[in-house]
Structures are given as C-alpha cells and as structure tokens.
Amino acid sequence: MPNTLAHVGVQGLVSRLAWKDVDLKWVYIGCVVPDFPWILQRAVVAFAPSVDPFALRYYVDFQASLLGCLVLCGVIAAFAGAYWKTFLILGTNTVLHLVLDASQIKWANGVHFLAPASWHMSNWGFFWPESILGVVLTILGLVVLSVNWRTSSRTRPGLVLPRGRRALALPLLGSAYLLLPILFLAANGRADNHSLATLSDSDRVGEYVEFDRANVLRCGDQWCIEGPEGEYLEAKDLMISSPSTVSVRGVFVEDNAVRVTDHHVHLKWYRDGASYLALLLICMTWILSLFVRHDEQDS
C-alpha cells in the first residue's frame, strides 16, 4: 500500500480544495486511520508473538475496512470541538486513503469496502509503490508537510473532553471497534484473503498462492519465502540476486515448496522509511500545536 507520505500529498491537496480553512492536522490523522490496525498488528507481533497470526490478520482486516475505519473516525472526532465537521474530514480522508490503496498493485492484499457484507478485496492494480508515480506522490507529501508546517504547528487543534451524548457514544464506538472484528473472523477466513486459508490447508499441493511483501532469504542453497506465521517455504524458479522484500505469485508443488510464476522485488526500506518519516512529522506537528498559546496562534 502507498506509504504515508504519498497519502499526505494526495489527501492534503484534495482536502485543501474541499475545505479552504481546513486544519491539516486532522487531515493527517485521516491519512493514518486505515493504517492504525496494521500498526497495532506489528505491535502485537512484537510484544505477543504467541498470538495466532492468522486470527490477528483477520481481526485487523475488519478494523482496516471502510466500516471499521469510520467507527474509529467517530471515536477520534469525539475529542474535536466541531464533531461533525471533523468526522466528515476524517471520513472523507479514510475513503481517499482506501481508494489510493486499492489503486496500487498488491498481490494477496486489497481493500474491504463492503465488509462485513462482503469480504471481497478490491485491488485495481494501477501502479507499484516504487513506480515513478509512487515516488512523485511521496515527494508531494514532503512538500505538503513542509509548506504547511508553520501554520499546522501553530494552530490549536481545538480538542475537548467528550461530554453529554459524546461521552455516552464514545465507549460504544470504542467497544465496537475492538469487539466487532471477533464476530467475523470465520467469515473472513472462508474468503481466503491474503491466501491464509490456503497456507493453513493441510493438503495444499497444487493450490495457487500469493504473498504480499514477503521476506525472501537464503535457506542453504535455496531461496525461501517467509510465510505470515514464520513458516519458510522453498521458492522454486525465483530469480533474484540477494535477500529482498518480494511480492510473489506461485503454486504449491510440494507441501513446503512453491513454484514461483511471477514476482516483484520491492525497495526494502522505501515504503517503511517514508511512512515512519511521515508519522514522525505528523506527531511533531500535533505536539507543537498543543503548546501554542491563544495569543501566539495568529502571530
């Protein structure tokens, strides 16, 4: 999926056109809402490695769906002074984020626009993240953050403590965000999203399989694909020169071997590095804005 800088570039410009006076800090939050479940997934894997990786992936799939993201937007907007305007900004940018995600080529991945009614993953596959378009959008994100840095960091975000109906709705929305995914683990699994059902099948020889941005490394004199639960599968007919992050399509020819029919090598640190930089700058913008005094805001 596009890195966070690319999302900031596209969504920052679109939001400026839609709302001339928009506080881009809220747009930046909207750029991150669909990625929050994946950040959560990485944290759980790092600190609780015994958690079932397949169940965890199905869990965050719901949170990253359009419905799950809109629920989180409702939670976040409860802390904004102008609730419905903020929810509209966050919700619009959630949709833009998911549309941009679905536009990128992603094997074994995609966007759940209609979950839980449908677990079909939308993947229109227009460009790879390392393509010229992806690089241009990443640079655009840096430009948007830089040009608007002073205004964004010196404008108070107008945070409030939820009261009244907001205070009543907040625990309901928060509970829905955390608990609803549990109800749909099985339905998501039956759809074989991310090829997880195939990977967990005890008889998978002859089955088609895809991997999104998998680690490929040496296992003796063979290339091996690291599966989502730490399983290493021999990658037959994979022609790469060094260990890399690779998207793979193939067919199981043995229980622990995949004959690769197509692959794409990713720039290992490009996507993650650009996303970490964007997240750092967004956090700095928010932190600085929280310490702006009223008499400094317009100076």
Side-chain angles (χ1 to χ4, degrees), residues 129-149:
E130 300 86 2
S131 67
I132 294 298
L133 177 59
V135 173
V136 168
L137 295 181
T138 300
I139 295 173
L140 177 62
L142 274 176
V143 172
V144 168
L145 279 164
S146 300
V147 169
N148 295 282
W149 173 263

Side-chain angles (χ1 to χ4, degrees), residues 14-279:
V14 172
S15 296
R16 274 292 188 208
L17 292 174
W19 300 281
K20 297 297 184 181
D21 61 340
V22 68
D23 183 350
L24 284 178
K25 290 192 296 298
W26 291 107
V27 173
Y28 299 157
I29 295 295
C31 292
V32 177
V33 163
D35 287 337
F36 180 77
W38 311 117
I39 297 172
L40 174 65
Q41 181 189 33
R42 290 192 178 192
V44 171
V45 169
F47 295 103
S50 61
V51 172
D52 182 348
F54 290 178
L56 177 62
R57 187 62 184 265
Y58 294 146
Y59 179 88
V60 299
D61 265 350
F62 181 89
Q63 291 183 327
S65 70
L66 176 57
L67 177 59
C69 289
L70 291 178
V71 172
L72 182 56
C73 289
V75 172
I76 297 170
F79 296 91
Y83 179 87
W84 288 112
K85 179 180 179 180
T86 303
F87 178 79
L88 180 61
I89 291 170
L90 294 173
T92 299
N93 277 279
T94 286
V95 174
L96 289 173
H97 182 122
L98 295 178
V99 167
L100 190 57
D101 278 356
S103 299
Q104 185 185 288
I105 302 172
K106 295 179 294 295
W107 297 338
N109 212 331
V111 174
H112 296 290
F113 284 110
L114 300 178
S118 169
W119 288 103
H120 168 73
M121 291 192 301
S122 296
N123 182 350
W124 306 319
F126 297 142
F127 65 97
W128 287 105
E130 300 86 2
S131 67
I132 294 298
L133 177 59
V135 173
V136 168
L137 295 181
T138 300
I139 295 173
L140 177 62
L142 274 176
V143 172
V144 168
L145 279 164
S146 300
V147 169
N148 295 282
W149 173 263
R150 187 177 187 276
T151 301
S152 297
S153 62
R154 293 179 65 84
T155 301
R156 294 170 63 88
L159 297 177
V160 298
L161 287 176
R163 299 179 184 278
R165 287 179 295 180
R166 293 193 195 189
L168 293 174
L170 188 58
L172 296 177
L173 291 171
S175 297
Y177 187 73
L178 294 174
L179 299 179
L180 277 179
I182 299 173
L183 302 178
F184 302 103
L185 296 181
N188 193 5
R190 288 192 294 270
D192 195 22
N193 286 323
H194 320 293
S195 293
L196 295 185
T198 298
L199 290 169
S200 61
D201 193 347
S202 58
D203 183 19
R204 56 194 183 184
V205 175
E207 295 291 331
Y208 175 77
V209 66
E210 294 184 353
F211 298 89
D212 175 41
R213 299 181 58 83
N215 291 323
V216 173
L217 60 161
R218 279 289 182 184
C219 299
D221 60 349
Q222 303 287 338
W223 288 117
C224 287
I225 303 169
E226 183 180 3
E229 62 175 348
E231 178 185 19
Y232 291 97
L233 302 168
E234 181 182 342
K236 295 181 179 292
D237 300 335
L238 178 60
M239 302 299 179
I240 60 175
S241 58
S242 61
S244 304
T245 300
V246 187
S247 288
V248 172
R249 287 172 167 170
V251 177
F252 274 101
V253 291
E254 301 174 26
D255 184 61
N256 63 344
V258 173
R259 178 173 58 82
V260 176
T261 57
D262 199 2
H263 74 279
H264 176 82
V265 178
H266 297 275
L267 296 177
K268 190 170 181 63
W269 298 109
Y270 164 71
R271 178 173 174 268
D272 287 349
S275 291
Y276 293 148
L277 176 59
L279 291 173

